[in-house]
Amino acid sequence: MYDVLAREAPAVGTQLHDQGAPPYGMVPIGHGAPIFPKAERRRKAYPVGGRGEIEFGSPMFDLVAILAQGFKRRELLDWGGVALRVLNVVTVEPPAFKDGRARFRAVTPVVMKGSGRDSTGRVVTRQGWLLPTDFEFPVFFQNNLRRKAETLGLDPEVSLTAITWVGAKRSFSVGPGSKPGAPLEVELTGPPQTLQAIWSWGLGQANLAGFGWIRA
């Protein structure tokens, strides 16, 4: 995605890469993983083959327009050494969430970093990665939602009301280390426009790396 931004809007790409968006330096872009419905399933291997789709998103209309334009100009995407031929690009509008309620299920692991302290307040790790079952997770998860809203200039009064499902723990290598997390389903309440933005961005941290993606 940074390569697309570098070609289509270099100043925007540089700003997001070097500083992120104020006031927290967040990057309002997310994506999922390619899905191939008819690919042969093999144990311990990601199913690839035939026609599929991959989703990219942002709560910022200008970024969506830039990414869509950039992908339309490409014939191939390189996904971890797998060549994906671009056949079509379609933009998708978020749901309305008129009643101020939403249920989101992340199809990729949600990652969240906490304080690194245990229930007694003692520091036990400098990494502090949280799973949805950890006691700190709801507070840090909700703070992340509100920071996203503030980054976009939206009403930050969004709340986590329930975690309704947690998938298996998974870890993925990102840069020099790995980030552990788990897919999950949550119920949120908040202003419709804020819920739309979260749907377009993703849940938790490291959405730019593919974590916490909400499938359309």
Side-chain angles (χ1 to χ4, degrees), residues 46 107-111 131 167-172 179-183 211:
Y46 195 91
V107 295
T108 57
V110 174
V111 296
L131 293 176
K169 175 184 176 182
R170 300 184 69 185
S171 296
F172 290 95
K179 298 182 187 295
F211 292 97

Side-chain angles (χ1 to χ4, degrees), residues 9 12 20 25 30 35-36 39 44 56 72 92 116 118-120 140 163 169-171 177 194 203 205 213:
V12 174
I35 296 175
F36 301 90
K44 296 184 178 181
F56 302 85
K72 285 179 180 179
V92 179
D118 61 18
S119 58
T120 67
F140 280 82
I163 297 175
K169 175 184 176 182
R170 300 184 69 185
S171 296
T194 302
L203 300 176
Q205 299 173 334
W213 183 249

Side-chain angles (χ1 to χ4, degrees), residues 5-92:
L5 292 174
R7 294 169 185 262
E8 301 293 333
V12 174
T14 299
Q15 166 71 26
L16 291 176
H17 183 274
D18 295 347
Q19 301 175 17
Y24 303 110
M26 304 177 92
V27 180
I29 301 175
H31 67 87
I35 296 175
F36 301 90
K38 296 184 179 181
E40 180 183 354
R41 293 319 196 244
R42 292 183 298 165
R43 188 178 180 184
K44 296 184 178 181
Y46 195 91
V48 175
R51 286 178 177 260
E53 61 183 39
I54 181 171
E55 295 180 335
F56 302 85
S58 172
M60 300 179 67
F61 177 81
D62 290 348
L63 281 179
V64 172
I66 292 169
L67 291 172
Q69 176 177 274
F71 289 134
K72 285 179 180 179
R73 292 180 177 178
R74 294 191 172 218
E75 294 185 0
L76 294 173
L77 298 179
D78 180 359
W79 185 70
V82 177
L84 306 178
R85 184 175 299 279
V86 180
L87 301 177
N88 193 22
V89 177
V90 177
T91 56
V92 179

Side-chain angles (χ1 to χ4, degrees), residues 80-155:
V82 177
L84 306 178
R85 184 175 299 279
V86 180
L87 301 177
N88 193 22
V89 177
V90 177
T91 56
V92 179
E93 294 290 332
F97 304 115
K98 291 182 179 179
D99 63 353
R101 298 178 179 273
R103 175 174 288 191
F104 294 147
R105 176 172 288 215
V107 295
T108 57
V110 174
V111 296
M112 182 62 53
K113 184 172 283 190
S115 67
R117 300 177 184 272
D118 61 18
S119 58
T120 67
R122 182 171 58 95
V123 177
V124 294
T125 177
R126 291 187 177 182
Q127 290 299 321
W129 294 108
L130 299 172
L131 293 176
T133 52
D134 292 331
F135 76 98
E136 280 191 336
F137 184 89
V139 173
F140 280 82
F141 181 85
Q142 181 160 299
N143 286 342
N144 175 264
L145 296 175
R146 294 185 174 182
R147 286 188 173 197
K148 285 178 174 175
E150 291 171 357
T151 295
L152 300 168
L154 300 176
D155 187 339

